[in-house]
Structures are given as C-alpha cells and as structure tokens.
Amino acid sequence: MRLAMAAAVSGLALMAGWAAAGETPSQADAKAQALLEQMTQDEKIGLLHGPMLALVQRSKRPDGIVIGAGYIAGVPRLGIPALTETDASLGVSNLNNQRPGDVATALPSGLAVASSWDPEVAYRGGAMIGAEARAKGFNVMLAGGVNLVRDPRGGRNFEYLGEDPLLAGRLVGRSIAGVQSNHIVATIKHFAMNDQETGRNVLSVTMAEAPMRESDLLAFQIGIETGDPGSVMCGYNRVNGVYACENPFLLNDVLRRDWGFKGWVMSDWGAVHSTEALVHGLDQQSGDQLDLKKYFSTSLEEEIAQGRIPQVAVDTAVRRIVRTLFARGVIDNPAIPGDSIDYDAHAAVAQATAEAGMVLLRNERNVLPLAATAKRIAVIGGHADIGVLSGGGSSQVTPVGGFALVVKRPGAGASSFASRSYGPSSPLAALRAARSDATVEFNDGHDPVAAAALAHDADVAIVFVEKWATEAEDAKDLALEDGQDALIAAVAAANSRTIVVLETGNAVSMPWRDQVQGILAAWFPGQRGGEAIARVLTGAVNPSGRLPITFPASEKQLPNPMLPGGDAQLADEETRAVYGIQAGLKPFDVSYPEGSDVGYRWFAKTGARPLYAFGYGLSYTRFRYDGLNVADGDTLRVRFTVTNTGDREGSDVPQLYVSRNGRTKRLIGWDKPTLKPGESREVTVTADPRVIGDFDAKAQRWVVPAGDYRVEVGASAEDVALAGTAHLGRQALKP
C-alpha cells in the first residue's frame, strides 16, 4: 500500500466519487435549483432548522420517524425527505436508549483508528457504521470528528484522530467516504479550534491565521478533500472573539471561498447565537430548542419581514442543502428502516480495527507474546472479567449484547455523559479461550495485597487499568485514578513478569513504567475489544499500531501546564442569558502557545523528551530501513526500502519527517507494508506542499521557500534511521 499525499483530489477521481455517490455536480445543481423554484417560503425555512426529537413529547413527534440526534422536516410533496440525523463517529449512537432494545456495533475509539495509521481501516469502519445508520432509517450521520489533540486531558480526544493534521485529515476523510458510500450524508466536525471541553460554550481561541491554517484548519482541509463530506458541523466555541457558527472568516472565507466547499453547514446542538449567522455562513440550526431562540424559524421570519435578512440568504442555504442531498444520493436512494444488519460481520470489522490500532509500548525480555510455558496467568483489575470500557457522551454506542456494566455517578440519571459503560467483551474470557492449556485466574484489583498474592504465584501477571473520558468534561490530570498506580506497583513487586493493558481515551502518566515488562495501549477497543486484546497478547496478532499522539512525561511539558479555563468562574444568570443554557463557566480566552507546532512539533521545538513519542510502537518482529533516495526539484519525492529482518510476519509504519531552518519537523507521509520474514518493499512518498510550506496570511497563499530540507525516515517522530537532504525550489499555491 502506497500513500501519495497530493495537494488536491484529481478531477477524474472526484468525478468518479460523485458518480458512485449520486448526481454529478452539474446535475445536482440543476435539480436543486428546480426544486427551489417550486418551494414555498415556509418549506424553505422548514429546511433550515429542526429539533432534537428525543426532547419532543412523544405525542408531538412525527409518525414513522426514527429518533436520533436531530430532525429536519423535509418537503414530502417535492420528494425531499426528512433529514434523520444520528451520532456519531464510533457507531450509531442510541441516545440514552430512546429506542429501547436497539443496539449497534461499537467501533473502537477514534484514537484506536488513528493508531492503525491505515486509511483503509478508517474507510471500512466508516462504511460499516454508515450501513447500520442507513438500515436503521438515518440519512445523516454526525461522524467525522477531526479536532486536533492539543492537550492530552481533552475529554473528547478519544473520538478524534490525533495531533497531526496530515494523519488526522487523511484518516477522517476515508472514514467519511466510507459512511457516505451508503448514500447518506456525513459531517466533518467541529469546525474549528474546538479542541477542549472545559468552557467549550464560552471560550474564545485567540490565534493568528497562519498557525490555524497550518494546523487545525489543514486537518479539516485535507479531510474535506479526501472524503468530500456533505456537511460541516461548526463548533460551540468562539474563534478570535466570534462564534464558530457565525464566523464569516471560517465559514465564508476559508471553507467556501478558499476550499470551494459546496455542502451545507449545520450547527452543533445549542451552538447558534443569532439570526445573522445565516448571512455569515451557517445554513441550518440543529436541535433548535437547545438555543436561546428559534433563530432560523420564528426570528428569521421576523428579520426577513423587516428587511434585515435578505431572501437570497435563505435561498442560498436551502439550495446548498438540497443540492447535497442529490449529490450524495439521499433523495434517489431513500433510507428506509428495516434493512437487516449482519452484526457478526460488523463485529469482525470492529475487532479488526481494534487489532490494527493497539500499540505495544513496552516489551522487555520479550514478555509478549505470552509464552507457551506460561501455564499460570493472573488477570487483575479493569473489570476484565466483565467487558471493556467505552468513552461517554454523544458518541456512546449501546453495543450488540447491551452493556455488561454501567457505573453511574450519583445523580447522573441515564446520561451517557456521566455513566461509565462497559461493552460485553471480556478479556478474561477471551484469554481463557485462547489459552485453554493454561490456568487463567482473576482478581478484581480492589485489594492490592490480594492481587499481589495472586500475581506472586503466577508465571505472568496482566493488570488491566482504565481512565474514562467523556464529552463535556476534561480530565484534571494524566494520572490513573482510584489507586491503580499503586495496584500496578504492588503486582510488579510480586511478579517481575507484569504486563499492563491500558484502556484509556488519552495519554496517561506511568510512574510504574520501569517496574513492568510489558505495556499495551488498547484504548477503548469496541465491540470485540476483549477478543482483540487476547489475540494481541497471545501472538495471534502481531501488533502494528503506532501512537497518533505524544505521551508526555508530565503536565509540565505541555504548552499549557494548567488546562485553559481550569480557573474560570462559574457562569451566572447574566452569562447564561447571553451565551445560552449550556454555559457552565464565565467567558474566557484561550491561547495555545504552540500555535501550529502541535504535539510532537512542540516537543521538538522545546527539546522536552516525552514518555512515548508520536508514531512510536513496537512489533513482535524487526524492520530495517535502507536505500534512501531523495529527489530535488519543485516536488519532494522520497523512496526507501523496508525489510522485515525478524522471524515472523508483521506490518510496519515507516514515517517520513521534514524540517528546515526555523521550522520544526513535520510528518509528510508514511506507509504500512505487511512483510513476511526476509521480505522487502520499496516505499514512495510524495509530499503535500502545504505540509512542508508556510501559510502567508498577507498574500493569502501557501509558500514553500526555496532551500535545503532535511528528510528523516524512522519509526517515530524521535527515531531517525535514515536521513538526507533535498533542495527544493520555491512554490506558491492557492489556499
């Protein structure tokens, strides 16, 4: 598999994508205009807003409509279907069981997908969840989260795809393409700079245009080029003082003028603050009862009547929506509830995704895979006897088989934002099935002394630890909770052959790292996470995941050692009256000192040594890189050879980074070849000029300065196996 990181999708490929999805652009334009001319004003405005049906009284809900995150009425007499919208990137979210008994296949977390470094893994997962959404009657899936991981305490990081714009953009684009292969619309979200949960409804990110273009916005741009989403969802936050959902710079200048986006912009639920947002680039008010006003219905009618909002703004928004429904095949291929779902086949997709994304972080003395001589195996903690942990919030999926365990916070009710849930895939049961020749005993880890006693008498001890993450709440630090660090230390003191399995939604600190021999990052592993973990531990699967985020050694290494907003005051009535009912804190500004140097770039800039570097991950075999060939000229092209020098088949992720004087290193490409022992493969990468260049805000273009560029090939952002120099001529590209 080769990856050519081109600056844009070719016209031929784009046309092929349109043909597969629905109408061609010109056909979609013509059909949308024809319908627009037949619509009444009430029908037009009806397409611009809708409620969250789960919050509507059952007697007032429309008949025959599947309940999800959002609903837009449609225009039945003209064949425009109602828009039935469901969360999210990790599967069909069941919205707190508003549809009792309904289940869906739970994909592993976004960070697990990103850890695969495999665009086709992302595509297959997207195609699977999109197929389930369609079978349940949904035609819009609120998937496609690509906000960069700027801080490892971020509550929604587990949904996203890491800290690098090229990796995140490429993978989210393929996931979106997979979802939309089912003739439904996918979003890309949350546009833009929505990188933390603390104060998300009131904060304002202060950042110049160039660093935004080179980081978060570039991830969105690559994702849109790769996946062609039908809709963009704008975020809750403000950017340079202006709400993202009424920010003309983001929505009109960047998204539409510069990137040529033809779809529609929908708000996040509760993220609209004015009717003027329609003029500033927003097309649709989602979950309109969550905002202070019905800005795009009652208020809009008044504003049009008084001449403050032009009719053309309404017509433009409606045209974008209808055009997209034709282009994505929604109108010609209606989603009708009732199609059968092959949950076994879909579980296999989820399991393969988990296996591809697990990252082996430590393997001293080859403690893994588990040796045949290990006849007594102690499994400790993490509810491994019951299932695997999942993240909370709007992405929460009720898995096939139902939850094995739900731990509710006091007073939390049934909210997925405050209920820690476990999918019914037990690592303990899977290990016992895989190692029927061994005695596998379990201790829940609540008593470190008892756990250590079990470990002492075992050939190997496996400690499962967890750190839950959820939308609407950031973690206060990187530490494991509830005495889990002490548990690991006690077990490791009793048995030198201790392995730690991490079920987390972020990086975590590891004060016990040097006391254990093995560490496996399993993330939130999804529908068959237990089986996937067992297959990696026993060697049925050779781990090939690589970190899509940097694991810092401590919070002190972060650009903001204190999470922005951590000291903000609670919102008062005046704040809520201005910012909306979801405002929890008084407004505050956020400065990200790293600018475009997110994650590994910040560590390279400051010289700080992380706990584990971006791109890091081990295998049960070994790889060698040689034969580096770097081409000079206007385009950077790099070739080299990867060889499996070990004794078993495995997949590697060789990575290419480029730096020049005055700029930190940047990922420009990678590959993921699967090689048999002794097999070699040539890898070729062509760099996207935007990744190696700078954005000139004054000239409004990308510029690749002429000069020498250092090229590094390695197994992580810190590893340098091969190095060379390329001399590139100056290039200037449109934004």
Side-chain angles (χ1 to χ4, degrees):
M1 177 179 63
R2 294 182 178 181
L3 304 178
M5 304 302 177
V9 179
S10 71
L12 180 61
L14 184 58
M15 289 299 292
W18 279 100
E23 307 288 351
T24 65
S26 59
Q27 290 172 329
D29 287 337
K31 289 188 174 184
Q33 182 61 33
L35 288 189
L36 180 66
E37 293 171 358
Q38 300 176 58
M39 294 172 67
T40 67
Q41 183 75 335
D42 286 345
E43 288 170 340
K44 291 176 182 178
I45 292 177
L47 284 176
L48 304 186
H49 71 97
M52 191 173 188
L53 275 186
L55 301 182
V56 175
Q57 292 180 7
R58 293 183 183 273
S59 62
K60 295 182 179 181
R61 295 176 185 172
D63 294 333
I65 296 296
V66 62
I67 306 300
Y71 169 75
I72 307 294
V75 187
R77 74 177 184 89
L78 297 178
I80 301 174
L83 302 187
T84 49
E85 303 167 336
T86 181
D87 287 308
S89 305
L90 311 182
V92 182
S93 176
N94 299 290
L95 215 64
N96 303 327
N97 289 320
Q98 290 294 332
R99 303 183 302 279
D102 195 10
V103 296
T105 304
L107 270 179
S109 64
L111 282 183
V113 175
S115 294
S116 75
W117 288 61
D118 190 335
E120 294 317 298
V121 166
Y123 180 88
R124 289 191 293 271
M128 183 271 285
I129 64 174
E132 290 195 6
R134 178 183 175 82
K136 293 174 184 294
F138 295 106
N139 54 23
V140 178
M141 197 167 202
L142 310 176
V146 74
N147 298 101
L148 293 187
V149 174
R150 287 183 174 269
D151 193 297
R153 294 163 293 195
R156 296 190 82 170
N157 287 348
F158 74 92
E159 296 182 44
Y160 301 145
L161 294 159
E163 66 191 28
D164 181 78
L166 181 62
L167 176 65
R170 175 76 174 174
L171 293 185
V172 80
R174 291 302 290 158
S175 175
I176 288 167
V179 170
Q180 294 190 153
S181 68
N182 296 281
H183 296 300
I184 66 175
V185 169
T187 68
I188 190 168
K189 62 184 186 182
H190 307 84
F191 193 66
M193 306 303 299
N194 190 180
D195 297 330
Q196 68 178 63
E197 295 300 283
T198 300
R200 65 182 185 177
N201 297 90
V202 298
L203 68 81
S204 178
V205 175
T206 301
M207 188 177 290
E209 180 177 0
M212 274 198 289
R213 293 267 197 173
E214 295 167 4
S215 56
D216 291 65
L217 294 187
L218 184 56
F220 277 94
Q221 186 175 8
I222 293 171
I224 289 171
E225 291 171 355
T226 304
D228 193 21
S231 183
V232 167
M233 183 192 294
C234 49
Y236 290 115
N237 57 296
R238 292 174 293 148
V239 178
N240 292 323
V242 181
Y243 284 109
C245 285
E246 54 183 62
N247 193 309
F249 165 72
L250 291 176
L251 302 181
N252 290 336
D253 297 347
V254 174
L255 182 64
R256 294 198 172 97
R257 182 197 67 195
D258 295 344
W259 298 352
F261 179 68
K262 302 298 184 184
W264 88 87
V265 176
M266 69 169 69
S267 72
D268 205 340
W269 275 235
V272 184
H273 296 270
S274 76
T275 305
E276 289 72 23
L278 185 69
V279 178
H280 296 151
L282 181 65
D283 299 309
Q284 198 171 71
Q285 182 181 12
S286 308
D288 58 10
Q289 74 268 59
L290 297 180
D291 293 308
L292 290 176
K293 294 181 180 180
K294 298 289 185 72
Y295 293 110
F296 278 28
S297 52
T298 306
S299 296
L300 177 58
E301 293 168 355
E302 296 172 356
E303 295 287 296
I304 293 172
Q306 296 173 15
R308 289 195 287 266
I309 298 293
Q311 180 64 37
V312 67
V314 174
D315 291 348
T316 298
V318 171
R319 187 183 298 108
R320 288 168 178 158
I321 295 167
V322 177
R323 177 192 184 278
T324 302
L325 299 182
F326 277 119
R328 297 266 57 93
V330 173
I331 291 178
D332 295 331
N333 302 273
I336 301 173
D339 289 349
S340 62
I341 298 173
D342 188 342
Y343 284 121
D344 288 339
H346 289 184
V349 173
Q351 181 175 331
T353 302
E355 291 171 358
M358 290 188 186
V359 185
L360 183 61
L361 297 175
R362 186 173 176 86
N363 195 20
E364 298 298 302
R365 300 185 181 181
N366 295 320
V367 69
L368 291 172
L370 294 173
T373 54
K375 298 299 185 182
R376 297 192 64 183
I377 301 172
V379 174
I380 297 166
H383 298 287
D385 60 325
I386 294 173
V388 289
L389 186 61
S390 63
S394 60
S395 69
Q396 177 74 73
V397 177
T398 300
V400 178
F403 291 121
L405 175 67
V406 176
V407 181
K408 298 180 180 180
R409 293 181 181 177
S415 171
S416 62
F417 290 67
S419 297
R420 185 182 306 216
S421 301
Y422 295 79
S425 178
S426 163
L428 175 65
L431 276 168
R432 283 173 172 166
R435 288 299 308 273
S436 58
D437 61 324
T439 299
V440 183
E441 298 180 87
F442 178 73
N443 178 280
D444 63 18
H446 292 159
D447 180 354
V449 175
L454 178 65
H456 180 271
D457 295 331
D459 297 319
V460 63
I462 306 172
V463 185
F464 284 76
V465 295
E466 56 191 34
K467 188 175 178 68
W468 187 57
T470 183
E471 178 182 353
E473 181 179 328
D474 295 320
K476 66 180 187 298
D477 56 37
L478 302 178
L480 295 174
E481 301 155 326
D482 301 324
Q484 292 180 101
D485 287 332
L487 171 66
I488 295 169
V491 171
N495 190 324
S496 62
R497 295 179 64 79
T498 292
I499 299 159
V500 175
V501 177
L502 300 167
E503 294 180 28
T504 72
N506 268 314
V508 295
S509 57
M510 304 181 193
W512 36 261
R513 181 181 67 165
D514 294 338
Q515 302 170 40
V516 303
Q517 290 190 350
I519 304 173
L520 178 69
W523 311 109
F524 299 147
Q527 187 71 49
R528 285 189 182 165
E531 287 83 355
I533 290 170
R535 281 170 54 81
V536 172
L537 292 177
T538 58
V541 170
N542 190 346
S544 62
R546 303 293 185 265
L547 291 180
I549 57 174
T550 303
F551 275 49
S554 74
E555 292 90 342
K556 294 178 181 179
Q557 295 180 327
L558 300 175
N560 284 309
M562 174 183 285
L563 187 75
D567 56 353
Q569 295 181 333
L570 294 177
D572 51 22
E573 289 187 11
E574 180 180 355
T575 299
R576 291 179 180 272
V578 174
Y579 289 86
I581 60 175
Q582 298 184 63
L585 298 173
K586 287 188 174 182
F588 59 92
D589 292 337
V590 174
S591 173
Y592 292 119
E594 70 274 21
S596 62
D597 291 325
V598 182
Y600 66 91
R601 301 179 186 182
W602 173 258
F603 280 80
K605 184 176 183 177
T606 61
R609 187 167 183 82
L611 187 67
Y612 288 109
F614 173 85
Y616 178 84
L618 302 175
S619 170
Y620 294 151
T621 189
R622 301 179 303 279
F623 299 95
R624 183 184 70 239
Y625 309 148
D626 54 26
L628 179 65
N629 182 292
V630 180
D632 294 333
D634 292 334
T635 303
L636 177 58
R637 293 186 178 88
V638 180
R639 288 186 291 113
F640 61 97
T641 299
V642 183
T643 303
N644 183 345
T645 61
D647 57 5
R648 62 182 295 167
E649 181 176 301
S651 299
D652 190 30
V653 184
Q655 303 150 41
L656 279 85
Y657 297 87
V658 166
S659 59
R660 71 173 195 271
N661 288 338
R663 298 292 285 180
T664 57
K665 65 169 63 178
R666 301 177 180 180
L667 178 73
I668 66 165
W670 70 93
D671 203 347
K672 192 168 185 179
T674 300
L675 304 173
K676 294 180 173 60
E679 184 180 7
S680 298
R681 183 85 51 83
E682 185 178 80
V683 172
T684 301
V685 171
T686 301
D688 184 327
R690 296 167 298 188
V691 177
I692 59 176
D694 306 320
F695 189 81
D696 185 335
K698 184 177 181 179
Q700 285 293 290
R701 61 186 178 184
W702 290 93
V703 176
V704 179
D708 292 332
Y709 290 74
R710 177 176 168 82
V711 177
E712 297 177 356
V713 177
S716 76
E718 286 197 335
D719 177 83
V720 181
L722 303 173
T725 302
H727 185 82
L728 301 181
R730 187 179 185 276
Q731 297 181 65
L733 304 90
K734 65 179 183 179

